Amino acid sequence: MATSERRREILEALAEQLERHPGERVTTARLASAVGVSEAALYRHFPSKAKMFESLIEFAEESVFSLMNRILMEESSSSKRCERIVGMLLAFADKNPGITRVILGDALIGEHERLRSRAAQFFDRFETQLRQVLRDARQEDPGLIPPGSVARLANLLMAVAEGRMAQFRRSGFTRSPVEGWSEQWRELERVVFGRPSASGSGLT
């Protein structure tokens, strides 16, 4: 098996173990057993378990922010941009429960502080993009969003997204983070933009 294929297999096994054993730490012994190799073989592909976690965070970053860029190119409506961006993050979490544990920090307890900072940066970067979308909306229509509210409203959207992801994790991955999102967005849209969009809501 090629090195890249084995690395991918190890990361997929790690994500699966994180999903199957919520609330538990995944040891290298358990991971090696799941992959069907020795612990020494794991370390031939990754110098440490921390590097495995870092690779999962990198996967999340590449996946989420590439999708975000596509949404920003496709949508001109600031409201729909916010809806689809947050909905996309929730859908990513729904599809990747194990990685959700990593970016929320739950799987990183006891790991190096650098990893927890890296995971936090993921959400900081996401919130920064939400702020930019809301700034653009205010420039287009100054009456749409109250002065000084951009950062507060972006943080509200981020808190909702993280909260739904945390509920998903806390439920043992039985309560989907996308369940009821369209209806909840209609309520949030009134708070953020002052009115529901004419096009309605829905995940894309």
Side-chain angles (χ1 to χ4, degrees):
M1 181 179 289
T3 298
S4 60
E5 292 177 356
R6 178 64 80 184
R7 284 172 60 89
R8 185 174 64 251
E9 183 183 26
I10 291 170
L11 292 177
E12 288 174 350
L14 175 56
E16 182 182 4
Q17 289 295 308
L18 289 168
E19 177 182 354
R20 291 177 59 187
H21 304 281
E24 298 180 20
R25 294 188 67 187
V26 177
T27 64
T28 52
R30 177 190 288 175
L31 179 59
S33 176
V35 178
V37 299
S38 66
E39 289 185 68
L42 290 181
Y43 289 119
R44 283 198 292 271
H45 295 282
F46 292 94
S48 64
K49 190 167 68 171
K51 186 60 180 176
M52 298 178 201
F53 281 125
E54 188 171 11
S55 295
L56 289 180
I57 296 172
E58 289 172 355
F59 172 77
E61 290 173 336
E62 291 169 4
S63 300
V64 167
F65 292 108
S66 63
L67 287 170
M68 177 185 286
N69 288 334
R70 191 171 75 186
I71 290 169
L72 294 175
M73 291 178 63
E74 293 174 351
E75 291 288 354
S76 58
S77 162
S78 297
S79 174
K80 292 298 292 183
R81 280 181 166 186
C82 287
E83 177 192 10
R84 289 188 61 190
I85 286 171
V86 176
M88 172 270 295
L89 177 60
L90 299 178
F92 176 84
D94 191 43
K95 185 178 179 181
N96 299 278
I99 297 177
T100 297
R101 282 191 61 194
V102 176
I103 59 177
L104 285 175
D106 169 61
L108 303 178
I109 295 173
E111 300 296 334
H112 197 281
E113 175 62 30
R114 176 178 57 84
L115 283 174
R116 293 192 293 277
S117 296
R118 180 71 182 273
Q121 287 171 10
F122 172 90
F123 289 106
D124 289 344
R125 182 179 171 187
F126 198 97
E127 186 172 340
T128 295
Q129 186 59 67
L130 286 173
R131 284 200 300 271
Q132 185 59 54
V133 171
L134 295 177
R135 278 196 294 268
D136 291 344
R138 179 159 172 73
Q139 287 181 349
E140 294 167 6
D141 183 353
L144 190 62
I145 297 175
S149 297
V150 166
R152 174 175 57 82
L153 293 173
N155 183 254
L156 170 64
L157 293 177
M158 195 74 256
V160 170
E162 287 191 62
R164 292 176 71 90
M165 291 167 69
Q167 288 175 340
F168 181 44
R169 178 199 61 200
R170 191 169 64 246
S171 72
F173 306 122
T174 60
R175 182 177 181 179
S176 170
V178 301
E179 182 180 351
W181 166 243
S182 294
E183 292 78 11
Q184 192 174 61
W185 169 251
R186 285 194 286 271
E187 299 300 325
L188 285 168
E189 190 176 30
R190 293 187 182 95
V191 174
V192 177
F193 294 98
R195 52 177 167 73
S197 64
S199 59
S201 299
L203 286 176
T204 302

